[in-house]
Amino acid sequence: MPAKPSGAPQRRSRSTGAATASGGPPLSLERIIATAVELLDTQGVDGLSMRRLADRLGAGAMSLYWHVGNKEEVFDLALDAVLAYHPPEAEAHVWRANVVHMLEDWRAAMLRHPWSAALLPRRALGPSMLGRLELLSQTLSRAGVADADLNVAIWSVWNYVMGATITRGSFERSPDDLAAAQRRLTELGERYPSIDRSRLLLDSDWDGAFKKGLDLLLDGLTPKR
C-alpha cells in the first residue's frame, strides 16, 4: 500500500526508568504509549504534544526522549498499539469469515479511537497494519483472487473500511435532527422519491449496513465457485 514512510519504529527495549517527578511509577515505553493513546482519545491529534504528554505522565519532557525519538514516533507507536490484531483460530477453508472478522475488528478499533483514521493513510507501514494487510492478501489469494487483481481487491477493501469508518464517526446527529431532516425529505418526496421511500436518514443500523455492504463487496471481488 503506498504510504509515506513513517519509520514505523521497532518497540524499544527500555521498559524501566527513573521514577517520575511526581513520585509515580517509573517511565516506560508501554506507559508512554498507553498515555499517548488516552490523550489522543480525549484531545485528538492536535492535542498531543511532548510537553502535554509529559505532564500527563508526571515527568519532564526531556525524560520522554530516553524512550521515544520525537512526537512522530509517538504517533506511530500509538497507532500501531490500537490497530494490533490477534486473529482467532480459524480453518483455512472459511476464508470469508476470517476476512470479515479482521475487517470488522479494524473498523471497531478505529471507531474506538477516531484519531486513528486520520493518521492511518500517512502511517500504514506499522507492523500491526502491515500484518492486517498481509493476512488480507493471503486470504484473498487463497479465495481465488488472481495476483493481477490483488492490489485492486486490497484497495477496494481499504477504501470501503476507511470510508465506512469516517462516515460513521462524523455523522453524529440527534434523533430530533434526523426526524426533522426526514420530514423535509418527505415534503420533497416528488423530487427524491427513492430516498424518501427508503427512509435513508432514519436508518441507524450502521453495523448491519457495514456487514451487508462488505458481503456485496466480497461477492464482487472473489471468483464464483
Side-chain angles (χ1 to χ4, degrees):
M1 303 287 291
K4 177 182 177 181
S6 62
Q10 297 292 325
R11 295 286 174 90
R12 302 190 185 202
S13 60
R14 298 187 184 96
S15 60
T16 60
T20 58
S22 63
L27 280 181
S28 67
L29 184 59
E30 289 71 23
R31 275 195 70 214
I32 292 171
I33 296 171
T35 303
V37 169
E38 293 173 0
L39 192 57
L40 286 163
D41 286 346
T42 57
Q43 303 295 324
V45 172
D46 293 337
L48 188 144
S49 67
M50 296 300 276
R51 169 59 62 187
R52 189 169 291 174
L53 180 57
D55 290 345
R56 182 72 67 94
L57 288 160
M62 292 306 296
S63 63
L64 299 183
Y65 293 102
W66 284 98
H67 303 272
V68 292
N70 50 43
K71 185 173 73 171
E72 296 303 307
E73 185 175 344
V74 173
F75 283 139
D76 288 335
L77 293 171
L79 182 63
D80 194 64
V82 301
L83 292 180
Y85 180 59
H86 305 287
E89 292 293 332
E91 299 181 19
H93 70 275
V94 290
W95 70 267
R96 192 175 186 116
N98 298 343
V99 168
V100 169
H101 185 278
M102 187 273 284
L103 296 177
E104 289 184 324
D105 178 88
W106 175 12
R107 170 178 173 266
M110 289 194 294
L111 288 175
R112 287 194 302 270
H113 309 281
W115 51 271
S116 62
L119 287 182
L120 184 55
R122 295 184 294 119
R123 300 172 184 275
L125 298 182
S128 290
M129 196 64 229
L130 288 177
R132 287 179 184 268
L133 295 177
E134 178 64 21
L135 175 61
L136 178 62
S137 299
Q138 291 182 4
T139 308
L140 290 178
S141 292
R142 288 197 299 270
V145 177
D147 287 350
D149 298 326
L150 194 55
N151 285 348
V152 172
I154 293 171
W155 271 119
S156 297
V157 172
W158 172 286
N159 291 336
Y160 178 73
V161 175
M162 292 294 292
T165 304
I166 292 170
T167 300
R168 176 66 187 95
S170 61
F171 201 88
E172 294 295 340
R173 301 290 187 274
S174 71
D176 289 343
D177 288 342
L178 292 177
Q182 185 61 51
R183 286 195 298 271
R184 177 61 174 159
L185 277 178
T186 299
E187 293 171 0
L188 300 173
E190 291 185 2
R191 186 180 303 177
Y192 309 107
S194 297
I195 297 176
D196 178 37
R197 185 174 64 253
S198 69
R199 311 288 286 176
L200 176 66
L201 297 182
L202 298 182
D203 186 352
S204 59
D205 185 12
W206 293 94
D207 294 340
F210 177 80
K211 180 67 177 294
K212 290 178 181 178
L214 186 56
D215 283 339
L216 294 173
L217 178 60
L218 293 176
D219 284 343
L221 290 176
T222 52
K224 300 295 184 293
R225 297 190 173 183

